[in-house]
Amino acid sequence: MTGTSPRCDIPALRESLRCDRLNLEKTFLQQGKAARLLGAHSKLIDGYLQRIWQLMAFPKHTALIAVGGYGRGELYPKSDIDLLVLLEDAPDESLQHMLRELIALLWDIGLEVGHSIRTVAECISESTDITVQTNLLEARLLCGQPALFEQLCKSVRQHLVAKEFFMAKLHEQEQRHARFDDADFNLEPNLKESPGGLRDLQIVTWISRAAGLGTRWTELAQAGLITLSEAHQIACHDALLQTLRIRLHYLARRREDRLLFDFQTTLAEQLGITDSANRRASEHLMQRYYRTRRAVRLFNTILLQHLHDYLFRDTLPQHALNERFRMVGTRLEMRDEHLFEHRPEAIFELFLIMQQRLELTDLSANTLRALWRARLKIDATFRRDPQNQAHFMEILRQPHGVIHALRRMNQFGILGSYIPAFGRIVGQMQHDLFHVYTVDEHILMVVRNLRRFALEKHAHELPLCNKLMGEFARPEVLYIAGLFHDIAKGRGGDHARLGMKDARKFCTLHQLSHDDSQLVVWLVEQHLTLSSTAQKQDLADPEVIAEFAENIKNDRYLVALYLLTVADVKGTSPKVWNAWKGKLMEDLFYLTRRYMKEGAIDNHLTEIREQAAATLNLYAISATSYQMLWAQLDDSYFMDHEAQEIAWHSRLLYFRVNDPAPIVKARLSRAGSGLQVLVYCRDQRWLFARICDFFARLSFTIVEAKIHTTQHGYALNSFQVMEVNRSDMDYRDLMNYIEFELTEKIRLAEPINPVSGGRMSRQLKHFPLNTKINIATDRHGIYVLTLIAGDRPGLLARFAHILDRHHIRMHRAKINTMGSRAEDVFWISGSMLSKPADTSLFLNELLEKI
């Protein structure tokens, strides 16, 4: 550092600091030693602050103190530098002026400081705030009066009540976990604040410091809270989190603690992680992170339990449960801490006891540690033991606590050890634009959903699932299918077919009946079929239902596939499931069940007409009133719509069949959310594009469109619109707005300026999806266009505009949006589709502009 006075040569100091920091960055990027960088950065800043303090000649009755992470000696590249200026008494005007100069100077040379100016008494008064108290606990003297600093430390120790500090920090952690434990932070986790982040390690060291047990992991091992081996493991996980956070700061050139999509690929490259045959480098990086996060959360749980027992030393009532376990208070505890070493079969017994004894709330600290070590005892011999196999199946058959047991097994590494295929997907992230959980978390979420279906308190959410699950014999079959349905993700090839082999092996080992084994294997193979059929095919076509039903052995198979599919889609992301998808799947379930019971319906058209007529009769509308409208509609209209839709259309239009003015009507969707919108008008060029453009500009999503032209040249179009919940408008006002504005837009028929693509999501930007378009003919000779693309605002409107420009008619559309991924299907017609050259031009334009 230069020796020039900071008052007269601020530029020189600023340049010196910049160069010194660049040298630190260069050294770190070469060596990758996180702890060394954090310590060196702290010492570097120490030197600048000490030099400036001396040059400014502060009075002897003052002290400059580092607090927070800087006080701990862990200063990240772009973190604030937390300082406390400690005074004996309130500052006079001269000292206040010096302090203002100091802070301004520090900012001028490039030090982003967070500071406070207090006396010892003020520090103690402010330490009622747990954050201030924690900062003071890590205080470190930089320069100034040592006696004043020692007075502060003594006062902090005197006023620190370790038990109260423990409870306050525990409450703070619970609040932090709740704030950061959601889907968005799962995809782009905060390395510092998210569950399993650096804060979860720091809270342990803060409490152990308050308890007088030290702050280093080796010191906690000496105190008997962990072993030296476990201390080494924690240090390795700590180092990875530190490394990632340091590199994030350097990449972002700012304080950035979230593993944003923008940086995941570059971070992987810096750490020498490359793409594999089936997975991106960023996915490998994130798996390493998620496994570290899981380990940190586990150590946090174990150590906080130990610290609680150490601090509170409660005398709790004990009750022997058997020769191996006892109940201490409401916790389960081993009677011999080496139990799992000589009797590993007791591992699963522990989980069974936790399920069967509902008064048990947790495991004791020693039992938690023993369970963590016990994963190493689960080997091939353990997996082949019939007693262990029987115990695992018994866990799945318990009426309570199945998902809690599975999640705890996963947390401790036991589930992945017992089912090695599951162990390979622990922490595995999928950058497929719609999964927001790791594969293991998604699988357990699916099992959780299946369990939830059976609970009466959740029956209102999905009544059909609740009814079917309540009637389903041996539901453990579904849980096993849930455990294996995605277990082969990331291996390459068809994960469903690969997963079948793992599922079949499991069923054989665990001696499931032939029928149940066949069902499990079939469910794993077919777990995507129902969802794909419901969302991508025309359910109004009886042949679609017949083809789907041919692959289903009996009603038990159908019920099982429906339940697993709903649980799977709901477990993918909170944003993927919606009421419309639920309705499509429910419709397919009922249509298939009917087909399996009654066979093909020869008089489907007649039946639909009769049902619609019966509904209209309830409104006292005579048959002669709507026959004029029905005479203009062909059979495809009646095939494409439900009876209640036909009745709704007829009630609105029977007296306005030849009305020259456009008619737009909206109602709440029968799916349970969103709107159903009817458009009836004289057919016009660009009509479909005009309607799509209208909804796109309102940020509404069309999930289904049914397009029909009557015999006398009128368009009768029906749309299902989702995401219409707007805080600024009542739904009645919203429907009125749509009816008026869309009517005007159609009436004026002004030229369309296609809505722009809007801002691409950061996930789609950094993990792009190649657009795929395919045109084929279905069994009826109708052209079916399938589009897979990254979803962006106005996608459907731009697509519709291109269709109209090429004189291609839309008959039906199914829009399936999964996160940032769109998988849409369109039934279309047009003379140019029979001409290969014209079709090629059309497809190229779609690829270019979609």
Side-chain angles (χ1 to χ4, degrees):
M1 186 174 70
T2 63
T4 310
S5 168
R7 292 178 179 174
C8 59
D9 205 351
I10 290 175
L13 272 176
R14 184 168 54 244
E15 179 61 18
S16 174
L17 175 62
R18 188 186 69 82
C19 291
D20 287 342
R21 281 176 155 172
L22 282 175
N23 287 333
L24 285 180
E25 179 180 356
K26 182 179 178 181
T27 301
F28 170 76
L29 293 177
Q30 290 173 343
Q31 301 176 354
K33 303 293 185 181
R36 186 176 298 174
L37 179 280
L38 297 176
H41 191 209
S42 296
K43 289 180 180 178
L44 175 69
I45 302 306
D46 288 353
Y48 277 89
L49 291 172
Q50 289 162 354
R51 180 64 176 244
I52 291 171
W53 185 269
Q54 293 169 3
L55 288 171
M56 293 190 69
F58 273 87
K60 293 183 178 181
H61 58 275
T62 59
L64 184 63
I65 298 168
V67 293
Y70 178 40
R72 195 167 57 245
E74 295 180 356
L75 185 59
Y76 286 84
K78 303 299 178 181
S79 290
D80 290 347
I81 300 164
D82 294 328
L83 297 173
L84 166 65
V85 179
L86 190 62
L87 309 176
E88 283 188 346
D89 300 300
D92 57 22
E93 187 175 337
S94 174
L95 183 54
Q96 287 180 2
H97 178 73
M98 289 184 69
L99 292 170
R100 285 194 295 269
E101 276 197 337
L102 170 68
I103 301 305
L105 174 58
L106 296 180
W107 278 92
D108 285 344
I109 68 169
L111 294 178
E112 297 182 355
V113 297
H115 72 283
S116 57
I117 302 170
R118 298 188 181 115
T119 63
V120 172
E122 288 171 339
C123 287
I124 300 305
S125 175
E126 292 291 330
S127 67
T128 53
D129 182 312
I130 189 65
T131 303
V132 174
Q133 191 175 38
T134 305
N135 280 340
L136 292 176
L137 200 61
E138 298 182 307
R140 177 170 60 89
L141 180 65
L142 293 172
C143 42
Q145 191 179 56
L148 187 60
F149 174 69
E150 184 54 41
Q151 181 186 349
L152 172 66
C153 294
K154 183 177 179 181
S155 298
V156 169
R157 288 193 296 269
Q158 288 175 344
H159 286 82
L160 179 67
V161 180
K163 291 183 180 180
E164 293 178 0
F165 184 77
F166 175 93
M167 296 307 297
K169 297 306 290 186
L170 189 63
H171 178 64
E172 184 182 72
Q173 175 172 286
E174 290 169 352
Q175 291 182 316
R176 175 171 51 82
H177 282 186
R179 193 166 65 252
F180 285 91
D181 195 13
D182 63 21
D184 290 336
F185 281 107
N186 204 47
L187 287 169
E188 299 179 298
N190 188 303
L191 292 169
K192 181 180 176 183
E193 305 288 355
S194 288
L198 288 163
R199 273 283 186 256
D200 280 8
L201 295 174
Q202 291 162 0
I203 191 175
V204 172
T205 59
W206 290 331
I207 294 172
S208 63
R209 183 195 290 265
L213 298 174
T215 59
R216 292 185 172 85
W217 304 120
T218 52
E219 292 174 323
L220 295 185
Q222 292 167 5
L225 271 67
I226 51 176
T227 65
L228 284 172
S229 173
E230 289 165 344
H232 175 70
Q233 291 178 53
I234 299 174
C236 289
H237 293 306
D238 195 4
L240 175 62
L241 293 175
Q242 290 176 340
T243 298
L244 290 174
R245 190 181 179 206
I246 291 168
R247 290 181 181 276
L248 264 181
H249 281 206
Y250 283 138
L251 282 173
R253 294 298 166 189
R254 65 178 186 273
R255 177 179 173 175
E256 179 56 77
D257 294 334
R258 288 189 66 182
L259 266 173
L260 299 174
F261 299 130
D262 312 51
F263 306 118
Q264 289 178 14
T265 300
T266 306
L267 276 171
E269 292 173 358
Q270 288 188 359
L271 294 175
I273 302 172
T274 58
D275 292 346
S276 62
N278 306 308
R279 296 168 60 197
R280 292 183 172 100
S282 59
E283 292 173 324
H284 288 289
L285 168 72
M286 294 308 292
Q287 182 167 26
R288 187 182 298 183
Y289 162 77
Y290 287 120
R291 291 188 171 188
T292 282
R293 182 175 77 170
R294 187 186 66 159
V296 168
R297 291 192 73 170
L298 178 61
F299 281 122
N300 172 271
T301 300
I302 294 173
L303 288 169
L304 289 182
Q305 189 89 277
H306 271 296
L307 289 167
H308 177 277
D309 292 350
Y310 176 84
L311 289 170
F312 290 86
R313 303 178 190 275
D314 298 327
T315 303
L316 299 171
Q318 298 186 11
H319 171 62
L321 300 176
N322 57 33
E323 63 180 12
R324 292 169 296 282
F325 296 98
R326 64 185 169 215
M327 186 165 64
V328 181
T330 59
R331 295 181 190 167
L332 182 64
E333 184 174 77
M334 300 182 306
R335 301 178 73 173
D336 174 6
E337 65 179 36
H338 302 292
L339 171 66
F340 298 142
E341 295 175 21
H342 50 77
R343 296 197 62 178
E345 68 273 12
I347 296 170
F348 285 162
E349 182 186 5
L350 175 148
F351 291 100
L352 276 170
I353 292 173
M354 287 295 293
Q355 289 177 286
Q356 294 165 352
R357 303 296 294 256
L358 301 183
E359 65 271 30
L360 290 169
T361 59
D362 210 338
L363 303 175
S364 70
N366 288 333
T367 306
L368 286 171
R369 282 178 59 191
L371 195 58
W372 166 243
R373 298 170 190 152
R375 74 194 188 282
L376 303 176
K377 291 291 180 180
I378 300 178
D379 53 15
T381 302
F382 181 99
R383 291 188 285 271
R384 286 194 299 265
D385 189 319
Q387 182 181 0
N388 295 330
Q389 294 167 358
H391 277 164
F392 187 80
M393 290 304 302
E394 197 175 346
I395 288 169
L396 295 181
R397 292 180 177 125
Q398 292 299 304
H400 304 286
V402 173
I403 190 60
H404 292 293
L406 291 175
R407 280 180 167 162
R408 180 164 271 167
M409 284 184 189
N410 189 37
Q411 180 187 18
F412 284 84
I414 289 170
L415 188 58
S417 297
Y418 186 65
I419 306 176
F422 189 93
R424 288 194 287 272
I425 50 88
V426 169
Q428 181 176 311
M429 177 50 75
Q430 308 166 79
H431 285 148
D432 55 12
L433 304 181
F434 60 94
H435 280 91
V436 299
Y437 305 110
T438 58
V439 180
D440 59 311
E441 287 176 329
H442 164 68
I443 284 174
L444 295 182
M445 188 70 75
V446 171
V447 179
R448 171 256 191 190
N449 288 339
L450 289 166
R451 292 285 294 177
R452 189 182 178 95
F453 293 161
L455 302 178
E456 285 301 319
K457 65 181 179 180
H458 300 301
H460 64 283
E461 296 175 357
L462 295 165
L464 177 59
C465 289
N466 176 257
K467 178 180 182 295
L468 295 174
M469 195 70 182
E471 298 170 348
F472 196 86
R474 303 183 303 284
E476 66 272 12
V477 170
L478 293 174
Y479 308 151
I480 296 169
L483 283 173
F484 283 88
H485 81 285
D486 273 356
I487 206 163
K489 281 287 184 75
R491 295 189 203 169
D494 185 342
H495 77 277
R497 299 194 67 83
L498 292 172
M500 286 172 58
K501 299 177 182 178
D502 295 323
R504 184 178 287 113
K505 180 179 179 182
F506 177 91
C507 293
T508 302
L509 280 174
H510 291 79
Q511 299 181 21
L512 269 70
S513 69
H514 175 75
D515 288 346
D516 285 349
S517 296
Q518 289 296 101
L519 176 55
V520 168
V521 172
W522 181 83
L523 285 171
V524 173
E525 180 188 23
Q526 298 293 328
H527 73 271
L528 298 173
T529 309
L530 189 147
S531 174
S532 177
T533 302
Q535 297 181 78
K536 297 181 181 179
Q537 295 200 46
D538 183 2
L539 301 188
D541 184 348
E543 292 186 25
V544 169
I545 306 304
E547 183 178 323
F548 176 72
E550 282 177 6
N551 193 36
I552 298 174
K553 186 175 181 180
N554 53 41
D555 191 65
R556 178 172 171 81
Y557 273 55
L558 174 62
V559 170
L561 182 59
Y562 173 72
L563 290 170
L564 178 61
T565 302
V566 175
D568 186 17
V569 177
K570 283 183 68 67
T572 300
S573 163
K575 298 177 181 178
V576 167
W577 177 264
N578 58 45
W580 178 245
K581 291 182 181 179
K583 182 182 183 301
L584 291 175
M585 293 178 194
E586 190 171 315
D587 287 347
L588 179 56
F589 171 80
Y590 280 125
L591 289 167
T592 306
R593 178 176 258 189
R594 179 178 179 183
Y595 177 87
M596 292 172 67
K597 288 181 178 179
E598 303 176 9
I601 303 170
D602 297 327
N603 59 343
H604 180 68
L605 265 175
T606 303
E607 185 177 291
I608 287 289
R609 288 172 180 267
E610 289 175 351
Q611 290 175 357
T615 302
L616 288 166
N617 188 50
L618 295 176
Y619 289 91
I621 301 175
S622 65
T624 55
S625 300
Y626 54 80
Q627 282 305 324
M628 185 170 142
L629 171 67
W630 284 20
Q632 304 299 332
L633 303 171
D634 57 23
D635 289 348
S636 64
Y637 169 83
F638 291 95
M639 292 290 292
D640 281 355
H641 292 83
E642 297 177 18
Q644 54 86 14
E645 291 180 290
I646 296 169
W648 180 54
H649 294 171
S650 300
R651 285 193 295 114
L652 296 172
L653 303 176
Y654 76 91
F655 57 94
R656 304 177 67 180
V657 176
N658 297 307
D659 196 324
I663 298 170
V664 177
K665 293 293 180 181
R667 68 172 181 174
L668 293 177
S669 172
R670 296 299 179 92
S673 67
L675 296 178
Q676 188 173 16
V677 179
L678 165 68
V679 176
Y680 182 76
C681 65
R682 285 177 174 165
D683 204 5
Q684 61 178 243
R685 182 81 191 279
W686 309 105
L687 178 61
F688 181 65
R690 188 166 283 114
I691 295 169
C692 291
D693 182 78
F694 172 80
F695 284 118
R697 293 181 187 279
L698 293 178
S699 299
F700 294 163
T701 299
I702 298 172
V703 294
E704 184 174 63
K706 299 175 184 178
I707 313 299
H708 287 274
T709 304
T710 67
Q711 310 235 358
H712 67 316
Y714 273 65
L716 200 168
N717 302 341
S718 182
F719 299 87
Q720 290 283 344
V721 182
M722 301 295 293
E723 298 178 8
V724 296
N725 297 320
R726 296 163 61 102
S727 58
D728 60 335
M729 194 177 294
D730 177 81
Y731 76 89
R732 297 179 189 83
D733 296 334
L734 182 58
M735 290 192 294
N736 290 334
Y737 177 84
I738 290 173
E739 289 173 356
F740 178 80
E741 293 294 336
L742 184 52
T743 298
E744 286 297 292
K745 191 175 184 70
I746 295 170
R747 184 183 65 81
L748 295 172
E750 294 175 341
I752 305 171
N753 294 316
V755 65
S756 67
R759 177 176 293 182
M760 181 185 297
S761 72
R762 287 186 301 102
Q763 187 177 14
L764 186 57
K765 177 181 177 182
H766 295 286
F767 307 113
L769 176 67
N770 292 329
T771 300
K772 297 178 182 178
I773 302 173
N774 180 62
I775 294 182
T777 54
D778 67 7
R779 59 180 60 82
H780 303 295
I782 301 295
Y783 288 99
V784 180
L785 186 150
T786 303
L787 169 67
I788 299 176
D791 190 39
R792 298 178 66 179
L795 174 68
L796 182 59
R798 293 193 302 280
F799 178 79
H801 193 268
I802 295 170
L803 288 186
D804 276 337
R805 190 159 61 249
H806 288 270
H807 299 280
I808 296 175
R809 294 191 64 84
M810 173 82 69
H811 299 284
R812 187 166 190 163
K814 278 196 168 183
I815 313 301
N816 181 25
T817 303
M818 301 180 293
S820 296
R821 180 188 181 101
E823 295 189 4
D824 304 338
V825 183
F826 307 92
W827 287 260
I828 58 178
S829 64
S831 59
M832 59 85 65
L833 293 172
S834 61
K835 303 172 184 176
D838 290 346
T839 302
S840 178
L841 288 173
F842 164 62
L843 291 177
N844 287 335
E845 183 176 355
L846 281 178
L847 286 169
E848 178 185 343
K849 297 187 177 179
I850 290 295

